[in-house]
Amino acid sequence: MKKSINAEKNYSKLLFNVIVLMVLTSLGMSCDSVVEVTDPDIVTPESLNSEAGIQTLRAGSLGDLAVAMSGSAAGHGATTGLIIMSGLMADEYTYSGTFPTRREADTRNLQDINSDVNTIYGNLHRSRTGAETTVDLLADFGGNPEIESEMQSVTGYAYVMFAETFCGGVPFSKAPADGGELIYGEPLTTEEMFNTAISWFDQAAANAGSNANLANLARVGKARSLLGLGQIENAAAEVAGIPTDFVYNIEQSDNSFRQENGIYIMSTVRRQFSIADGKGGNGLMFRSSMDPRTPWDGGTEFGQDDITLYYNQLKYDSSNVPVVLASGTEARLIEAEAAANADDAATVEDIHNALRATIGLSDLDLSGISGDDLLLAHFSERAFWLFSTGHRLGDLRRLVDVYGMMPSNVFPWGPYFKGGEYSSTLKFLVPQSESNNPNYLGCLD
C-alpha cells in the first residue's frame, strides 16, 4: 500500500524521537550498557519504509523484551534482567556475587541510582516504545493484525512488569507516529499501570483474530493485570478455556552475547545468583523440597564472592533455553487462585493435582485448609510452577496489597545472612535517571 506524502516525511522525525526516548531511558546506566546501544544508522528512516522495516522493529522490540526480562551475556559481568533481580527481591535467589547493586536487591535496601535496576528500567521502556512504534507504523502499510496483536501484548506486558515490580510513579513517554515532539509521560500509579495494560491486551485480543496463540497471550496478560487489581474472579473468567498446553516463549539464542539467556549466564556461568532455600525465614524451600520444578545442583563450592556456598539452578541449563512469558499452566493457576479466594479448597486441590499429574508429582491433600492457609498453599504451588519467570515478586506484593497479609509474614525478613537486615522496601524504585523527564516525581507510594 502506498503511503501518503506526509507519512513519508514524518519517518525521519519519528525515528529520531524513538532514538531520543531510548537514550533518555538509558541515562544513568553503566558505561558498558551505554556503549552497547545499537548504532541508530543500522535502522535508517528509509529502511523503515517497507514491510522488512516493520519486521526489523518487531524483532528489536522482542529482543529488548528478552534482555529486559532474562538479561544477557553482554556487558561487563553480563547484564541482569528483571527475572533474576526480582527473584532476589523475593525468595527465589540469594546473591553470591560482589556487585553492591545486586546485593541491594537481595536485601531490598535499594537506592534510586541502582544501575542494574536502571538497566532493566531502560530495557523495558525500549521494548515498549519499539512495540508501540511498530503498531503506529503498521497503519501506513494497511495494517497487519497479527503483528499488531503481538506488539500490543508486548506493550501490555511491559506495563504489567512495571506495575508488579516497580513502585507507583513510573512515567511512560511517547514518540508520536506523526513525527511531532517527544511527549514526556506523566507518572502513573500502580492501578493506572494495570488498567493501561488491560487496554493494550484488549486491543491485542481484538487483533488476534483466529490466531489462538496470540489471543491466549493477550488473555493471560489481561488476567494477570486483573489479579494485580484484585479482580480475582474476573481474572479466572478471562482465562477460562485456554488450553493447559498453551505456551508463549521469550526466545533466547547463542547467536550473540546479547541473545543469550542471562539467567543461565549469571547463575551457572558466573555463579552470582544462588537458588534459595527458606530465605529470610519466610522463603519457600526451593532446594530442600527436591521438587522437579526447581532442579538444582551444587553446594560444594563457593560462589563468585568466594564466601557463599553456591547452589546452581538447572531450570535454564543452557544459553539458548527460552523463558515462558505466558502459559496454559498459568491460566490454571489463576483459576486456582480464584477458588482459593472463594475458600473452595476442593477446587483448588483438583486444579493443582491435575497439573501435578502432568509431571508425575503426588497429589496434594488440602482438606481442612481454609482462609489465609489455603491461599498460602496455593501461592506455594504457584511459586514452584512459575519459578524464575518474573512472577514471584508480584505474587508476594499481591499477598500484601490485595489479600492484606503482613509483609513480615510473606517476604524474607529479619537478619540478612551476610550482615544487616532485610529492608521493608517491597518494590524497585523509579530510577533517578528518569528525572530527565520534567514530570518525574519519584515513587508515589
Side-chain angles (χ1 to χ4, degrees):
M1 177 178 180
K2 186 178 293 185
K3 301 185 301 300
S4 68
I5 294 175
N6 286 337
E8 191 78 59
K9 289 180 177 179
N10 284 329
Y11 275 127
S12 295
K13 285 185 178 179
L14 173 60
L15 183 61
F16 176 76
N17 279 346
V18 173
I19 293 168
V20 168
L21 183 56
M22 290 179 176
V23 170
L24 284 175
T25 56
S26 300
L27 290 176
M29 295 180 184
S30 68
C31 294
D32 292 307
S33 297
V34 172
V35 299
E36 284 160 15
V37 174
T38 304
D39 184 345
D41 289 338
I42 293 173
V43 182
T44 64
E46 293 76 19
S47 70
L48 292 176
N49 187 10
S50 66
E51 295 287 351
I54 295 297
Q55 291 292 348
T56 298
L57 282 173
R58 170 186 173 271
S61 176
L62 293 175
D64 285 331
L65 179 65
V67 175
M69 293 296 289
S70 62
S72 76
H76 175 61
T79 299
T80 50
L82 183 145
I83 289 172
I84 208 156
M85 282 287 280
S86 65
L88 280 181
M89 289 278 285
D91 60 346
E92 292 181 323
Y93 291 101
T94 56
Y95 190 50
S96 53
T98 58
F99 284 58
T101 52
R102 296 162 192 174
R103 177 166 169 160
E104 284 182 16
D106 200 16
T107 61
R108 300 196 304 276
N109 284 287
L110 290 165
Q111 301 183 66
D112 61 6
I113 57 171
N114 186 296
S115 59
D116 284 273
V117 174
N118 195 43
T119 297
I120 293 166
Y121 184 85
N123 283 329
L124 266 180
H125 273 306
R126 273 195 292 275
S127 178
R128 173 187 64 84
T129 55
E132 289 178 350
T133 301
T134 306
V135 172
D136 290 342
L137 289 179
L138 276 168
D140 292 312
F141 291 94
N144 183 317
E146 290 194 355
I147 294 180
E148 289 180 68
S149 177
E150 185 178 39
M151 293 293 97
Q152 286 160 341
S153 281
V154 167
T155 304
Y157 276 101
Y159 276 92
V160 167
M161 300 316 301
F162 277 119
E164 286 186 352
T165 59
F166 281 81
C167 63
V170 177
F172 294 81
S173 299
K174 171 74 174 176
D178 63 3
E181 295 299 318
L182 186 70
I183 301 170
Y184 287 103
E186 295 287 342
L188 298 186
T189 65
T190 298
E191 180 179 358
E192 288 170 334
M193 285 187 267
F194 278 128
N195 279 318
T196 304
I198 288 172
S199 176
W200 281 102
F201 289 128
D202 282 341
Q203 295 176 67
N207 278 321
S210 60
N211 189 318
N213 279 344
L214 291 177
N216 291 336
L217 174 66
R219 291 171 63 195
V220 171
K222 181 176 179 179
R224 188 169 173 177
S225 306
L226 290 167
L227 288 181
L229 292 170
Q231 299 179 32
I232 313 301
E233 290 184 7
N234 290 342
E238 186 65 35
V239 297
I242 292 179
T244 304
D245 62 359
F246 156 70
V247 177
Y248 181 95
N249 285 325
I250 298 173
E251 299 297 337
Q252 311 282 172
S253 170
D254 53 13
N255 287 336
S256 71
F257 287 152
R258 176 178 167 79
Q259 294 170 285
E260 290 188 54
N261 185 316
I263 304 169
Y264 167 77
I265 297 299
M266 298 296 283
S267 57
T268 305
V269 176
R270 297 189 179 272
R271 304 195 323 278
Q272 290 195 30
F273 295 85
S274 178
I275 185 170
D277 202 47
K279 181 177 178 179
N282 296 320
L284 296 181
M285 310 303 283
F286 288 114
R287 294 197 319 265
S288 59
S289 64
M290 301 305 292
D291 192 297
R293 294 168 293 184
T294 55
W296 62 275
D297 65 11
T300 59
E301 59 182 322
F302 293 122
Q304 186 248 2
D305 62 1
D306 286 330
I307 59 172
T308 305
L309 272 181
Y310 182 70
Y311 300 91
N312 177 42
Q313 65 76 33
L314 295 176
K315 180 171 183 174
Y316 304 102
D317 59 0
S318 75
S319 60
N320 59 7
V321 175
V323 176
V324 175
L325 180 63
S327 69
T329 296
E330 184 177 355
R332 300 292 82 78
L333 294 171
I334 291 169
E335 292 171 335
E337 184 168 338
N341 186 52
D343 224 11
D344 182 357
T347 299
V348 178
E349 182 180 294
D350 287 345
I351 293 172
H352 280 303
N353 286 340
L355 288 175
R356 289 169 69 89
T358 63
I359 58 171
L361 285 172
S362 60
D363 284 352
L364 293 176
D365 181 3
L366 300 179
S367 57
I369 299 178
S370 62
D372 284 354
D373 290 337
L374 181 59
L375 275 168
L376 289 172
H378 158 71
F379 271 81
S380 175
E381 274 292 286
R382 178 179 164 91
F384 279 90
W385 282 112
L386 302 179
F387 177 77
S388 200
T389 57
H391 288 80
R392 185 60 172 162
L393 178 57
D395 286 354
L396 293 183
R397 283 184 60 183
R398 189 161 70 258
L399 285 172
V400 174
D401 297 338
V402 173
Y403 295 109
M405 297 186 188
M406 293 295 294
S408 58
N409 291 334
V410 294
F411 274 85
W413 214 260
Y416 177 62
F417 75 106
K418 291 184 182 180
E421 295 201 347
Y422 291 100
S423 168
S424 60
T425 299
L426 310 181
K427 314 163 187 179
F428 292 131
L429 309 181
V430 179
Q432 190 183 75
S433 61
E434 185 65 63
S435 60
N436 292 287
N437 180 341
N439 301 320
Y440 169 75
L441 295 173
C443 285
L444 300 179
D445 51 358

